Amino acid sequence: RSNEPLSLDVRNNGSKKRKEFLWNKSDWISNWRCSKLGLIPDIIAHRGSSKEAPENTISAIDLSWKNLSDGVEIDIRSTKDNVLLCLHDRSLLRTAALDKKLKDLKYDEIKNVDVGTWFNSKWSKETPPTLERVFRHVLEGKKIFIEVKEEGLTDNLIREINNSSMDNDHIRIISFYESVVREVKQKTNLKTNLLVSFTQQNISLNLLKEKLVQLKADGVGAENHKFLNQEFVNEMRGIDKETHVWTVDDPSEAHKYKKMGVSSITTNDPKKIKE
Ligand code: G3P
Ligand code: CA
């Protein structure tokens, strides 16, 4: 029974109609049942609180805690001289008006670039934070989802994590790259999610399950998409894998995923989703 989704668990007990009514109408009952069973999903701020502050910056990360997020998601890449820092795109064009790729620049060349003004001039002091600096802004008990945007940097990443004071239980390494998930699982006890984008990848549920088992991934980070339904979550539970979803900014969608029993919901707007 423990593998069954919560919604089925409720519906299979006692008066089906009454419980379905309560399930649909009363959020506090569902919250209470979820919390009893440890099933309330973590709310993870996507690139920090990126609706309110420029993505992947210290201000966006700090705001996540003010907005009561359970964790933050950040994207990491490496500079030419192997410094890991937060940046979503390969190039600095969109967020710093600099038409250069990060991998072609040394840290000293970009450490002072403004990655805030594109969002709003009031954020002009934001610079791309190093992973080491980000770790110092993760509050006690909070989580960090580190999305590895490039292959070939896992040794460097593992070194940084070992040098930090972060608790491994509060870190999750996520990536679209199978090699990243494989290497992290081979070398550490860190939890990992393989990311999947249903709009960009043509992947069957069976193939995805095979991959997750083969890679020893702890879960899937699935795109917010109609393909992610109750059956999907059940199938993942059947092979002992967690389902995490990104990116959900609509509270009613978040509620739907919560009822399905996902482990985390990644959102640009944690304030709204937490309400
Ligand atoms: O959490 C996964 C999600 O962040 C992947 O998409 O493009 O926002 O990095 P992207
Ligand atoms: Ca990301």
Side-chain angles (χ1 to χ4, degrees), residues 175-178 194-204 207-208 211 220-223 225 227 246:
S175 190
F176 287 104
Y177 291 110
E178 292 176 27
L194 180 68
L195 295 175
V196 57
S197 165
F198 305 115
T199 48
Q200 283 175 35
Q201 294 163 256
N202 191 9
I203 186 165
S204 71
L207 182 58
L208 177 60
K211 278 185 194 293
V220 58
E223 185 182 7
H225 189 276
F227 193 65
W246 52 274

Side-chain angles (χ1 to χ4, degrees), residues 3 209 231-241:
N3 277 345
K209 282 164 64 180
E231 187 204 342
F232 182 101
V233 178
N234 296 352
E235 290 284 330
M236 291 301 151
R237 285 225 178 107
I239 56 164
D240 209 19
K241 304 293 176 195

Side-chain angles (χ1 to χ4, degrees), residues 2 4-6 31 33-42 237 258 261-263:
S2 62
E4 285 184 357
L6 188 63
N31 280 342
R33 286 189 60 92
C34 285
S35 76
K36 276 270 167 214
L37 297 167
L39 288 176
I40 286 196
D42 284 328
R237 285 225 178 107
K258 189 169 158 184
V262 301
S263 300

